[in-house]
C-alpha cells in the first residue's frame, strides 16, 4: 500500500489502496493528492505550473506554514520576540525535507507520520500525522517546544481546494464572524454577512476555526478543525496571480484557500517542553 516515488526532483510517499489514494511530498510533508473510489478527482488543487524542484514550495495541496504564519512582521509581539531572527513568509517547514517516521494501516484506513527536527532556534520540533480512509483525510500538526522557556508561534494548514468556477463557489460557516481584511491599509476588522463569495482579491483572517462547507460546482468539502480559532481565506485574483511563483495566470479561477490556522491573536503560547496539536479533517459530499 505504501511506496516511495519520485516526482521530478522530489521524493514522495504514495499510498494506494482499493478505496483511496494519497501522495505526500517529503519536502514540506505536503499532501498534494487525495482521492477516493467514489470521488476519483484530486480533492486538492495543485497548479500545473509546479516544477516539483528542491527548495521551491509547491503551489497547491496542503503546505504547512510553520513555525510562523504569513509575513513575520505582521505576527504578534510575543511571536516576534520568540525568534532571534525574522523568518521568511510562512516559516521554513514548507521548504525542508521531513523524515518519514512511520506508516501503518488500521481497519480501512492508512496512517503516515512525518517529523521535522532542525537546529533552528528556538528549538521546536514538528510531527504531522495524516489519516486517510474512504471517508476523507485528516492532518494533525503537533508542535513540541524543546526549550526550557515559553515560545509563541503561529501556523497554518494552508489548504488549496479545487473548483471549476470561482464565480460559483462559496464558503459557508462564517456568517457574522469577524475577520481582518489584510487588503486594507490598516488591516480593518469587518463582519462577514452570509456565505463568503469571490469576486476579487480576497485575503482575510477570520476569527473562528475552519468548521465550514466549501461549495463548488463539483463538490461540497466539509471541514472541521481542532485547536484553531483562526481561518485564512485567500484567492489572489487576476493581478496577484501574474506575480505568483508556481502558478498560472488563470489558476485563480480554479482554486481557493481555506487555511486552518493559529494566527494573529490566536498564536499559540507553548510552555517549556509543552506541545500543541492543530488538526483539520475533510470529508466530501
Ligand atoms: C496566504 C496569505 O495565506 O498565503 C496571503 O494570507 C499570501 O497573503 C498567500 O499571499 C500565499 O503565500 P505564498 O508565500 O505561498 O505566496
Amino acid at each position: 500500500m505504501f511506496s516511495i516515488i519520485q516526482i521530478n526532483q522530489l521524493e514522495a510517499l504514495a499510498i494506494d489502496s482499493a478505496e483511496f489514494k494519497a501522495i505526500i511530498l517529503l519536502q514540506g510533508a505536503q499532501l498534494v493528492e487525495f482521492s477516493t473510489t467514489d470521488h476519483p478527482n484530486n480533492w486538492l488543487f495543485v497548479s500545473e505550473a509546479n516544477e516539483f524542484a528542491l527548495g521551491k514550495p509547491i503551489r497547491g495541496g496542503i503546505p504547512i506554514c510553520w513555525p510562523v504564519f504569513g509575513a513575520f512582521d505582521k505576527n504578534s509581539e510575543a511571536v516576534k520576540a520568540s525568534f532571534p531572527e525574522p523568518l521568511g513568509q510562512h516559516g521554513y517547514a514548507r521548504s525542508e525535507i521531513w523524515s518519514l517516521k512511520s506508516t501503518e494501516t488500521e481497519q480501512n484506513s492508512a496512517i503516515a507520520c512525518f517529523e521535522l527536527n532542525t537546529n533552528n532556534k528556538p528549538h521546536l520540533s514538528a510531527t504531522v500525522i495524516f489519516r486517510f480512509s474512504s471517508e476523507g483525510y485528516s492532518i494533525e500538526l503537533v508542535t513540541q517546544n524543546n526549550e526550557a522557556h515559553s515560545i509563541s508561534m503561529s501556523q497554518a494548514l494552508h489548504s488549496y481546494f479545487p473548483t471549476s468556477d470561482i464565480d460559483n463557489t462559496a464558503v459557508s460557516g462564517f456568517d457574522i464572524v469577524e475577520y481582518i481584511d489584510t487588503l486594507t491599509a490598516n488591516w480593518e476588522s469587518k463582519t462577514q454577512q452570509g456565505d463568503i463569495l469571490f469576486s476579487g482579491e480576497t485575503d482575510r483572517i477570520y476569527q473562528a476555526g475552519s468548521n465550514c462547507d466549501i461549495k463548488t460546482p463539483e463538490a461540497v468539502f466539509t471541514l472541521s478543525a481542532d485547536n484553531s480559532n483562526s481561518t485564512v481565506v485567500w484567492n489572489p485574483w487576476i493581478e496577484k496571480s501574474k506575480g505568483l511563483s508556481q502558478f498560472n495566470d488563470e489558476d485563480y479561477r480554479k482554486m481557493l484557500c481555506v487555511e486552518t490556522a493559529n494566527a494573529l491573536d490566536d498564536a499559540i503560547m507553548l510552555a517549556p517542553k509543552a506541545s500543541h496539536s492543530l488538526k483539520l479533517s475533510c470529508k466530501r459530499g
Side-chain angles (χ1 to χ4, degrees):
M1 179 187 280
F2 301 99
S3 59
I4 297 291
I5 61 167
Q6 190 80 26
I7 307 176
N8 194 19
Q9 292 179 0
L10 303 183
E11 269 192 331
L13 174 70
I15 303 175
D16 208 336
S17 84
E19 292 177 310
F20 55 88
K21 290 187 197 325
I23 297 178
I24 305 156
L25 300 171
L26 270 64
Q27 178 172 287
Q30 188 163 339
L31 181 64
V32 288
E33 194 172 319
F34 177 76
S35 62
T36 62
T37 319
D38 288 348
H39 299 293
N41 294 330
N42 195 353
W43 291 28
L44 295 159
F45 167 85
V46 178
S47 175
E48 286 175 7
N50 281 300
E51 295 162 81
F52 291 88
L54 280 168
K56 289 195 179 168
I58 300 300
R59 180 84 52 200
I62 309 186
I64 296 176
C65 303
W66 184 95
V68 294
F69 168 78
F72 187 78
D73 65 348
K74 294 290 191 186
N75 275 265
S76 66
E77 292 307 319
V79 171
K80 285 190 274 188
S82 293
F83 293 83
E85 300 286 338
L87 301 184
Q89 158 116 333
H90 293 329
Y92 50 79
R94 60 180 174 166
S95 315
E96 296 276 343
I97 306 295
W98 292 52
S99 347
L100 175 60
K101 292 309 283 183
S102 61
T103 54
E104 59 182 288
T105 51
E106 201 177 79
Q107 291 166 342
N108 292 324
S109 62
I111 303 170
C113 175
F114 296 80
E115 247 179 34
L116 182 65
N117 234 320
T118 67
N119 291 324
N120 292 341
K121 284 284 167 192
H123 190 204
L124 296 167
S125 46
T127 306
V128 62
I129 304 136
F130 294 93
R131 294 181 175 85
F132 304 106
S133 74
S134 57
E135 301 284 297
Y137 63 82
S138 72
I139 164 169
E140 181 179 2
L141 173 61
V142 180
T143 303
Q144 163 86 36
N145 177 5
N146 301 310
E147 302 280 6
H149 56 87
S150 297
I151 294 169
S152 187
M153 45 96 53
S154 58
Q155 57 186 349
L157 302 169
H158 192 308
S159 312
Y160 285 77
F161 294 92
T163 178
S164 61
D165 183 4
I166 193 66
D167 294 336
N168 284 300
T169 297
V171 181
S172 65
F174 293 98
D175 189 24
I176 65 167
V177 170
E178 281 194 32
Y179 65 89
I180 303 294
D181 185 345
T182 71
L183 298 176
T184 57
N186 296 319
W187 284 36
E188 259 169 59
S189 181
K190 299 181 179 172
T191 303
Q192 180 64 37
Q193 304 294 338
D195 284 358
I196 305 171
L197 304 171
F198 299 87
S199 58
E201 188 181 352
T202 305
D203 198 350
R204 303 174 181 173
I205 305 174
Y206 283 85
Q207 292 169 4
S210 33
N211 299 300
C212 60
D213 282 344
I214 299 171
K215 299 180 277 191
T216 75
E218 297 71 40
V220 177
F221 297 101
T222 299
L223 309 189
S224 56
D226 293 322
N227 303 327
S228 154
N229 234 336
S230 41
T231 301
V232 181
V233 177
W234 179 60
N235 183 291
W237 217 248
I238 301 169
E239 285 311 314
K240 184 138 308 151
S241 291
K242 294 179 186 161
L244 280 182
S245 59
Q246 316 287 306
F247 202 66
N248 288 321
D249 289 359
E250 293 295 310
D251 278 349
Y252 76 93
R253 300 208 56 82
K254 305 181 204 155
M255 55 67 69
L256 69 156
C257 287
V258 177
E259 309 166 31
T260 302
N262 295 114
L264 301 180
D265 293 346
D266 185 36
I268 300 303
M269 180 61 86
L270 280 168
K273 310 293 175 192
S275 63
H276 174 269
S277 153
L278 170 69
K279 188 171 174 189
L280 162 72
S281 304
C282 176
K283 294 188 172 174
R284 179 172 177 161

